[in-house]
Amino acid sequence: MSWDDVKYARRREEMVRRQIEARNITDPAVLAAMRKVPRHLFVSEALRHKAYEDYPLPIGEQQTISQPFIVAEMTQALSLGPGDRVLEIGTGSGYQAAILAEIAYRVYTVERLHPLYVQARRLFDQLQYHNIVMRYTDGTKGWKAQSPFDAIIVTAGAPKAPQTLIDQLAEGGRMIIPVGDQYAQDLIKITKDARGVQQQSLGGCRFVKLIGEEGWGTV
Ligand code: SAH
């Protein structure tokens, strides 16, 4: 372990204690994943010293890596088990996908911006996340060939939950998506069972825009 590894491990531990455990994240699998994934490697070198702070950071292409707490909150809300297959829309830096990959069986993640897709792919290889599968395309259409999914997480805000994604949720499946206008959204949890689809709000949040056929249109 290098001196840098030790330094970042300490910062990560502090992040988990102050920002995650202190705010009602109790799922042991989520806490273990947040303690393990080296978040500083998911941002540019210039921002590495800020990687464990309590806010989102720019990752290029006008996109952001979410605040650590939001990642933990959304992951916990998915109630993941080790056998689950998860679809993520909006790979971005790849940090959320790595957290999911620590807990679930397999993660399918979709990104529509090529530079971010390439960068995340390289990082997954480097960190040996063999259970993450990627696609470079419009994620609002989901990933039909691999559906149904036990869990779906959308990490960009949409005017409403795309029906195509709800259709790709397994019975017993859970989906988390920020829904609202482009300035503020509600984190919505959608569950599907034999009786149909239920929705509940988990509170306010602010994400970059989901772009695409069932998002904000083409930009
Ligand atoms: N989960 C990311 C957060 C990325 S921000 C992380 O952990 O870093 C949201 C991402 O969603 C951006 O990278 C953006 O390009 C992507 N995105 C927006 N609309 C999309 C769409 N229709 N399909 C796939 N990705 C999309």
Side-chain angles (χ1 to χ4, degrees):
M1 236 197 207
S2 71
W3 166 240
D4 255 15
D5 290 339
V6 175
K7 180 179 75 183
Y8 285 122
R10 246 189 238 148
R11 289 193 185 172
R12 194 155 57 245
E13 178 59 32
E14 200 168 305
M15 169 194 85
V16 172
R17 288 201 191 146
R18 292 196 183 164
Q19 303 169 35
I20 313 296
E21 283 181 325
R23 293 186 190 139
N24 268 334
I25 303 297
T26 53
D27 183 332
V30 176
L31 293 171
M34 301 291 294
R35 284 197 153 92
K36 183 166 170 200
V37 178
R39 183 173 160 96
H40 60 283
L41 299 183
F42 292 80
V43 299
S44 67
E45 246 174 284
L47 292 176
R48 234 155 242 186
H49 63 291
K50 292 183 178 169
Y52 296 99
E53 300 295 322
D54 198 10
Y55 40 72
L57 289 169
I59 54 171
E61 308 291 320
Q62 298 178 309
Q63 306 302 321
T64 54
I65 176 173
S66 306
Q67 176 197 18
F69 171 69
I70 281 281
V71 173
E73 186 184 35
M74 291 174 86
T75 310
Q76 176 166 272
L78 290 174
S79 311
L80 294 177
D84 284 343
R85 295 168 67 255
V86 188
L87 173 67
E88 178 193 35
I89 309 304
T91 315
S93 70
Y95 177 69
Q96 173 76 70
I99 293 287
L100 298 169
E102 291 287 343
I103 305 169
Y105 173 66
R106 186 154 290 156
V107 178
Y108 300 83
T109 183
V110 181
E111 173 57 55
R112 68 179 280 277
L113 294 176
H114 200 253
L116 296 178
Y117 164 81
V118 170
Q119 207 166 291
R121 159 147 275 177
R122 209 174 293 140
L123 197 52
F124 295 150
D125 283 346
Q126 186 191 323
L127 298 175
Q128 304 195 352
Y129 278 109
H130 302 305
N131 63 338
I132 301 179
V133 195
M134 300 184 76
R135 254 185 101 182
Y136 162 54
T137 188
D138 170 14
T140 62
K141 300 193 195 89
W143 194 328
K144 194 159 194 296
Q146 296 293 348
S147 67
F149 298 96
D150 303 297
I152 299 179
I153 176 169
V154 183
T155 64
K160 66 180 174 60
Q163 187 59 41
T164 319
L165 294 183
I166 297 174
D167 291 344
Q168 292 180 21
L169 205 53
E171 207 176 289
R174 297 81 59 197
M175 171 164 153
I176 303 291
I177 178 169
V179 174
D181 61 31
Q182 45 179 309
Y183 305 106
Q185 305 98 32
D186 254 354
L187 209 50
I188 300 292
K189 178 171 181 174
I190 295 171
T191 47
K192 199 191 240 186
D193 60 24
R195 287 167 301 156
V197 171
Q198 261 77 248
Q199 288 205 22
Q200 79 186 89
S201 169
L202 304 178
C205 60
R206 187 172 180 188
F207 277 81
V208 294
K209 284 197 281 183
L210 181 74
I211 309 292
E213 260 177 31
E214 290 197 62
W216 294 97
T218 313
V219 173

